Amino acid sequence: MTSGKKIIFTVTNDLVFDQRMQRICRSMVTFGYDVTLVGREMPGSPSLPDMPFKQFRIPLHKQSGKLFYLEFNYKLYRYLLSQQMDAICAIDLDTIVPVYRASIKKGIPRMYDAHEFFTEMIEVKRRPHIHFIWKKVEKWLVPKFQHGYTVGQAIADDLKKLYGVDYALIRNVPHYADPLDANTPFPENIRKIMEAFNKQCPSPAPFIFYQGALNEGRALLPMLEAMKTVNARMLMAGSGNMENEVNNFIRQNGLEEKVYLCGNVPPPLLKHLTAQCYAGITLYDAFSKNQYYSLGNKFFDYIMARKPQVCVNYPEYAAILKQFPVAIPITNTETTTIALSLNNLLQDGVLYKNLQTACEQAAKTLNWEIESEALRFCWQKLWQPGV
C-alpha cells in the first residue's frame, strides 16, 4: 500500500518558480502520498503559494559558491533527520549526499531525480576542480540509488552505461489545456508586465517569447544578436547567472526598444504571456552533454499553447519533431541561423499554420495526464520491487 506514505523531495532552488516540482508534487498527492517539498530561502523570496503539499525553505547565510553547498547540505541533512518520512527523493546531484546519508540513518528507501546531467553542466565542466568533486560524488552515489527517473532517454542511457542504473523516463510536459484566447483578461501582475513591455518596445511587430533561465549554455547572446535583423520584439521571462551580461548586451547594442526582460514569473502566470506571443524559442549550445541532451520545459509549454517555435535539432528534440513537426529545427546556434529561422517563421503564413496544427496534435499526447502514469509506476516499484 502507498496511501499516506510520507515523501520528502529536496531541491536547492527557491520553490515559487519551480513548475516542474510543483507539478510532480501535486501528482504525488493525487496518488495518495503525503508530500513535502524542501528548497532554499533566498533574499527577496516571495511568499510561498498555496499548494496541496507541504513546503519548507531552508534559510541560509551563503547564497553561492562552496560555502553555500556546505551550509545547505548540512542544514538539509539536519532537517531530514528531524522528520518522519517513508522515503526521500534527491533532485539533482547537489542534494544527493544528505538524502543518501539520511536514508541510511533512518533505514528508508530513496529515489534519485536526475533532472540534469549535473556533471555535464557548463557551469560545472568549465571548473576542473569543481567538476572533479561532483564527478566523485556521482560515481559514489548514483549506483547506490537504484530507483530513479530522468527527463530524457539519452541521459537515462548514459547513466545506465556508466553506473548500471535503469532509470525511468518522465519528461517535463505540462498538463493538457485548451489554449488561452488572446483576449483572455490578464491577471494584474501580468497586465503590468505587458504594459511595461509595450511601453518600452512600442513597435506594432509581434513578439517572440523566451522563457527560462538566463544561464550559460543557452545561446542567449547569439539570440539577441539575431534580433537585430528580425522584424519582431522579444519578451524574456527568467533570471540567472548571465542576467547582467544580457542586460549589458541589450544596452550596448541598442536593443532596448526591441527586447524586454521581465524577470521571473510564477508558473501559473507564464501561460498568459505565452498566449500573447507569436512564437517561442528553445536554444541550447552543444558544448556539453547536459545541453545537447536537454529536453526543456519551455519546448513543451509552447506546444501546449499551440505556439510554433524555433528549436535546436538535438537528439531529444529531433525524435519528437520527427513525429510532431511543431518547430523549425536548427542544427546550430549561430546568429545567422537563428535570424533566418525566426524571419522564416514570421514571413511564411502557411508554414506557421502547419506548425500550429502539429502543436494541436502533439498536445494530445505530450501532456502530464499521460506522462504522470510513468511517475506513479516508478514510485510503486520503490515499494513493490516486483511490479
Side-chain angles (χ1 to χ4, degrees):
M1 293 290 291
T2 62
S3 180
K5 287 189 179 293
K6 296 182 178 180
I7 300 174
I8 294 182
F9 291 85
T10 63
V11 296
T12 57
N13 55 308
D14 199 340
L15 307 181
V16 175
F17 306 105
D18 195 335
Q19 62 176 326
R20 177 176 180 270
M21 289 311 303
Q22 291 175 6
R23 186 164 55 233
I24 286 173
C25 291
R26 277 197 183 101
S27 289
M28 292 295 289
V29 171
T30 66
F31 299 157
Y33 296 101
D34 182 341
V35 175
T36 300
L37 177 60
V38 180
R40 68 194 275 201
E41 186 171 0
M42 302 177 70
S45 285
S47 299
L48 289 169
D50 290 334
M51 291 288 172
F53 52 88
K54 302 177 188 72
Q55 302 172 87
F56 180 77
R57 292 191 293 203
I58 296 174
L60 300 169
H61 297 291
K62 302 294 181 181
Q63 295 295 329
S64 62
K66 298 185 186 72
L67 292 179
F68 155 70
Y69 284 108
L70 288 172
E71 182 185 5
F72 181 83
N73 274 256
Y74 172 76
K75 288 185 173 180
L76 176 59
Y77 178 61
R78 300 302 301 176
Y79 171 81
L80 293 173
L81 289 186
S82 71
Q83 301 299 302
Q84 294 295 320
M85 72 202 89
D86 297 293
I88 324 174
C89 182
I91 287 81
D92 288 330
L93 213 59
D94 49 0
T95 69
I96 201 171
V97 174
V99 167
Y100 172 71
R101 292 180 62 208
S103 71
I104 294 295
K105 185 82 170 177
K106 287 180 168 287
I108 58 175
R110 54 188 174 268
M111 183 81 73
Y112 183 46
D113 177 340
H115 174 226
E116 305 265 12
F117 202 154
F118 196 89
T119 56
E120 294 294 330
M121 292 169 60
I122 290 175
E123 302 95 314
V124 174
K125 288 207 73 173
R126 66 176 170 79
R127 296 179 290 176
H129 179 64
I130 299 299
H131 180 258
F132 175 80
I133 293 172
W134 284 118
K135 195 66 180 177
K136 285 287 188 183
V137 172
E138 182 181 87
K139 289 180 178 179
W140 169 39
L141 289 181
V142 170
K144 298 182 185 300
F145 282 71
Q146 287 298 304
H147 295 275
Y149 49 91
T150 186
V151 296
Q153 192 59 52
I155 295 178
D157 291 343
D158 264 26
L159 292 177
K160 184 172 185 178
K161 184 190 303 181
L162 289 168
Y163 306 117
V165 292
D166 192 10
Y167 285 175
L169 172 62
I170 302 173
R171 294 169 295 189
N172 293 333
V173 295
H175 287 279
Y176 182 82
D178 292 325
L180 286 177
D181 188 282
N183 296 317
T184 300
F186 288 151
E188 180 63 18
N189 46 357
I190 296 299
R191 184 183 63 78
K192 289 180 179 178
I193 288 173
M194 290 304 299
E195 285 180 352
F197 175 42
N198 290 324
K199 183 177 181 180
Q200 180 170 309
C201 304
S203 167
F207 76 88
I208 310 298
F209 186 40
Y210 172 91
Q211 61 159 286
L214 304 183
N215 284 344
E216 295 173 81
R218 300 183 181 225
L220 295 174
L221 300 188
M223 179 184 72
L224 292 172
E225 181 74 28
M227 287 302 296
K228 293 179 180 179
T229 57
V230 173
N231 186 28
R233 303 171 295 159
M234 176 169 282
L235 176 62
M236 302 178 71
S239 63
N241 59 27
M242 282 191 66
E243 192 166 353
N244 289 338
E245 192 171 349
V246 166
N247 267 308
N248 290 337
F249 187 93
I250 290 170
R251 288 194 300 269
Q252 292 166 6
N253 289 272
L255 290 169
E256 294 95 335
E257 294 189 0
K258 210 167 190 182
V259 180
Y260 179 74
L261 276 65
C262 67
N264 284 324
V265 178
L269 301 179
L270 279 174
K271 63 182 179 181
H272 289 274
L273 295 178
T274 311
Q276 296 295 311
C277 78
Y278 179 83
I281 187 163
T282 301
L283 301 179
Y284 294 93
D285 294 315
F287 309 146
S288 73
K289 283 185 178 180
N290 187 55
Q291 273 68 36
Y292 190 63
Y293 288 170
S294 68
L295 194 54
N297 295 346
K298 71 186 81 169
F299 175 73
F300 297 109
D301 287 346
Y302 299 139
I303 291 173
M304 195 55 67
R306 281 62 159 188
K307 299 294 181 178
Q309 61 186 291
V310 169
C311 176
V312 287
N313 200 35
Y314 301 159
E316 297 290 354
Y317 299 107
I320 292 173
L321 294 179
K322 187 176 181 180
Q323 183 179 6
F324 301 111
V326 298
I328 294 180
I330 57 177
T331 56
N332 63 69
T333 55
E334 296 174 3
T335 295
T336 302
T337 304
I338 297 169
L340 285 172
S341 300
L342 286 174
N343 281 323
N344 190 18
L345 196 55
L346 288 160
Q347 295 163 7
D348 191 334
V350 174
L351 170 64
Y352 186 86
K353 286 293 184 184
N354 288 340
L355 296 179
Q356 276 193 316
T357 299
C359 287
E360 183 65 46
Q361 295 168 344
K364 297 173 183 177
T365 299
L366 302 174
N367 60 68
W368 188 245
E369 283 71 15
I370 293 175
E371 199 76 9
S372 63
E373 286 305 305
L375 180 70
R376 183 202 296 266
F377 184 70
C378 190
W379 279 94
Q380 284 177 343
K381 287 177 66 177
L382 184 71
W383 315 112
Q384 306 167 35
V387 172

